[in-house]
Amino acid sequence: MPQTADVRINGKEFTVAEGTSVAAAVLNAGYSMRTSIHGEPRAALCGMGICYECRVTIDGCQHRKSCQVLCATGMEIETT
Amino acid sequence: MAADAIVIGAGIVGAACADELARCGLKVLIVEAGEIGGGATAAGMGHIVVMDDSEAEFALTHYSARLWEELADELPSGAEYTAAGTLWVAADDEEMAEVRRKHSFYAQRGVRTEILDAQDLEQAEPNLRKGLAGALFVPADAIVYPPRVAAFLVECACRNGARLERGRRIHNMAELANATALIVNATGASAPALSPGLDIQPRKGHLLITDRYPGFVRHQLVELGYLKSAHSIDEDSVAFNVQPRQTGQVLIGSSRQYGSSDPAIEHRMMKRMLERAALYMPSIGRLSAIRGWTGFRASTPGKLPYIGRSPRQPNVWIASGHEGLGITTSLATAKLLADQILNRQPAIPLEPYAPNG
Ligand SMILES: Cc1cc2nc3c(=O)[nH]c(=O)nc-3n(C[C@H](O)[C@H](O)[C@H](O)COP(=O)(O)OP(=O)(O)OC[C@H]3O[C@@H](n4cnc5c(N)ncnc54)[C@H](O)[C@@H]3O)c2cc1C
């Protein structure tokens, strides 16, 4: 049986395959990641930790680069 | 147009001088080698702070802080003027005694301050570590974004007929052959290059800015131990000095070093500075930093800027040497310089700021 991780994104429960990045989980769940200072939705662009467009709050810590963090059971993810 | 006054350097000090002189009807030429406000003015923290190291420092910073209050309504929003107030943080009882001393010093001179005990401080700044002794709150101190203010003051000068020559570096005063114009040397830490003999040493500082964390810090926070470290001349020093930007970013300072003219970031100093910050605000280490840089303060042996006629160069006036307070003292510098040029009565005594060479 494949291993999975249970995370919450904006308060909703999601189960993802082990090794899924937070960025992939958030996009699969249908959310954008953050709102620009001019109010536009932003999401992962480079996928390799350079562009900073994919920042989300993970376990209360703001501005984490979601493409660089793997989902782990119990993780609380919030987009803005 | 023949200029009456040539201001060399469009940092915040030169910009303020140009604005004041143009306002008084002089034809002003501003000569800037690089960007407006691109020198120390772009590097600094923009904390407008009333200081009490000496009567002359108090007089200048207090006078200037009131001028900032008057200017505040005219400033563009990009100048980010915020009357956030300063909290001088006391770590122990000894520093609490300093809080009380400062409180009465300011009270005697008409500056309102409040003494915060440990509990008040915890409420005012929840991200400070527990167990600090208290703080002195100076509500009227403010924060600005200095390069935008410098640009605004140049715009004001130009509306009053000043002309700006950008991208021109003056190598020698003799280049400015117009014998009738008075010249203002407002080139900050580079002032001795044009006015040999002026005693100004560059004093390097490091800063680091984070991503946006609105509310993480609410006032300009400065440790009281700062006074000890800022004054030791021979040693490199760091102090806890943290500022909330209007964007929600946290600007973290600062270090002081002599004997270096290399602007490169020294990781040894950056590390010490951040360790000091984390000592006061343990959770600051969880914030994500986006940029670090350095700048050079123009320090003088008397710890006061030079504002007045050069004793060696006829027609030359000096407005340089503002160390770590040039944003605060820029506006008063411009007034005091114009007072001397135009024979007006100055608001405070001029003698302490006489150029030494
Ligand atoms: C790390 C750090 C933190 C600071 N924090 C604060 C703070 O919180 N509050 C505060 O009040 N102050 C602070 N300061 C101090 C403040 O930034 C300076 O005192 C102030 O910016 C000095 O302004 P200035 O116009 O004299 O110099 P500068 O801004 O350096 O301007 C000089 C200008 O002259 C030009 N120039 C130089 N030579 C020539 C030439 N030969 N020909 C033509 N142009 C020339 C340069 O290009 C430059 O634009 C800080 C400084 C540092 C380094």
Side-chain angles (χ1 to χ4, degrees):
Chain A
M1 199 182 113
Q3 298 290 310
T4 59
D6 299 322
V7 298
R8 287 162 71 90
I9 305 177
N10 296 334
K12 276 167 72 178
E13 310 259 3
F14 292 90
T15 300
V16 298
E18 194 186 20
T20 301
S21 70
V22 171
V26 169
L27 289 174
N28 279 329
Y31 296 102
S32 63
M33 284 145 181
R34 62 184 198 94
T35 308
S36 80
I37 51 171
H38 298 299
E40 293 158 349
R42 289 281 193 268
L45 178 72
C46 74
M48 58 185 195
I50 305 296
C51 74
Y52 283 76
E53 293 290 16
C54 70
R55 283 169 288 159
V56 300
T57 300
I58 300 177
D59 293 334
C61 186
Q62 290 167 275
H63 300 302
R64 301 284 315 270
K65 291 184 274 185
S66 63
C67 72
Q68 298 297 298
V69 183
L70 299 183
C71 289
T73 290
M75 208 176 243
E76 286 278 353
I77 301 158
E78 284 157 82
T79 68
T80 52
Chain B
M1 173 195 95
D4 302 317
I6 303 173
V7 177
I8 312 174
I12 197 157
V13 173
C17 292
D19 173 43
E20 181 66 18
L21 293 174
R23 229 173 254 273
C24 296
L26 273 71
K27 292 200 194 80
V28 177
L29 172 66
I30 308 166
V31 182
E32 166 55 54
E35 300 293 324
I36 296 171
T41 298
M45 279 190 124
H47 181 206
I48 295 168
V49 54
V50 177
M51 296 288 291
D52 63 348
D53 289 349
S54 65
E55 287 295 344
E57 188 185 58
F58 171 80
L60 189 65
T61 53
H62 183 242
Y63 176 31
S64 215
R66 299 297 82 82
L67 294 172
W68 276 103
E69 281 172 17
E70 286 168 26
L71 185 67
D73 288 342
E74 288 174 46
L75 289 172
S77 63
E80 296 181 20
Y81 181 94
T82 316
T86 305
L87 282 174
W88 294 95
V89 179
D92 52 28
D93 290 346
E94 193 190 336
E95 291 179 6
M96 240 4 234
E98 176 64 8
V99 161
R100 285 185 288 273
R101 191 201 61 76
K102 273 170 109 64
H103 174 72
S104 66
F105 179 97
Y106 287 128
Q108 282 158 17
R109 290 160 186 79
V111 178
R112 194 171 74 78
T113 68
E114 285 166 40
I115 296 177
L116 271 55
D117 65 16
Q119 224 182 345
D120 301 333
L121 181 60
E122 217 176 297
Q123 259 175 22
E125 292 289 348
N127 284 312
L128 280 173
R129 80 159 191 263
K130 308 291 168 258
L132 293 165
L136 185 73
F137 178 41
V138 189
D141 284 351
I143 297 168
V144 291
Y145 182 58
R148 183 65 191 93
V149 178
F152 167 76
L153 293 170
V154 169
E155 287 157 25
C156 291
C158 291
R159 271 201 298 278
N160 284 314
R163 209 157 54 80
L164 169 68
E165 241 182 85
R166 212 157 60 71
R168 175 174 176 203
R169 177 172 295 280
I170 306 295
H171 297 281
N172 192 306
M173 291 297 191
E175 278 170 53
L176 304 169
N178 179 351
T180 58
L182 62 92
I183 297 169
V184 180
N185 182 349
T187 58
S190 342
L194 292 175
S195 297
L198 204 58
D199 197 348
I200 290 181
Q201 299 292 324
R203 204 173 187 192
K204 185 172 176 176
H206 286 72
L207 291 173
L208 185 95
I209 197 160
T210 71
D211 210 324
R212 294 165 187 249
Y213 299 91
F216 183 85
V217 49
R218 299 164 184 175
H219 309 82
Q220 175 98 26
L221 304 180
V222 192
E223 65 163 291
L224 268 173
Y226 175 85
L227 298 165
K228 297 167 208 155
S229 59
H231 288 187
S232 65
I233 295 218
D234 6 271
E235 262 176 88
D236 295 350
S237 63
V238 297
F240 169 65
N241 188 340
V242 163
Q243 177 180 87
R245 302 299 316 172
Q246 242 177 34
T247 52
Q249 291 172 282
V250 181
L251 180 51
I252 306 170
S254 61
S255 68
R256 280 181 145 81
Q257 285 169 276
Y258 280 111
S260 167
S261 52
D262 178 1
I265 287 178
E266 292 164 62
H267 290 280
R268 169 185 69 94
M269 289 310 290
M270 199 58 111
K271 180 165 180 281
R272 273 182 64 188
M273 182 181 98
L274 294 175
E275 280 167 358
R276 192 77 191 162
L279 186 68
Y280 281 82
M281 289 195 124
S283 51
I284 211 163
R286 289 182 45 174
L287 310 190
S288 142
I290 59 171
R291 199 162 75 87
W293 65 90
T294 66
F296 290 93
R297 308 174 182 89
S299 81
T300 66
K303 301 187 175 73
L304 294 170
Y306 300 131
I307 310 166
R309 196 184 263 285
S310 159
R312 301 184 192 205
Q313 296 170 300
N315 278 342
V316 174
W317 298 76
I318 310 289
S320 294
H322 293 72
E323 224 277 349
L325 289 170
I327 308 306
T328 303
T329 55
S330 55
L331 300 182
T333 295
K335 290 278 185 211
L336 296 179
L337 188 80
D339 291 342
Q340 295 175 74
I341 290 171
L342 303 167
N343 282 316
R344 299 186 306 206
Q345 182 65 33
I348 60 172
L350 297 164
E351 293 72 29
Y353 323 107
N356 78 335

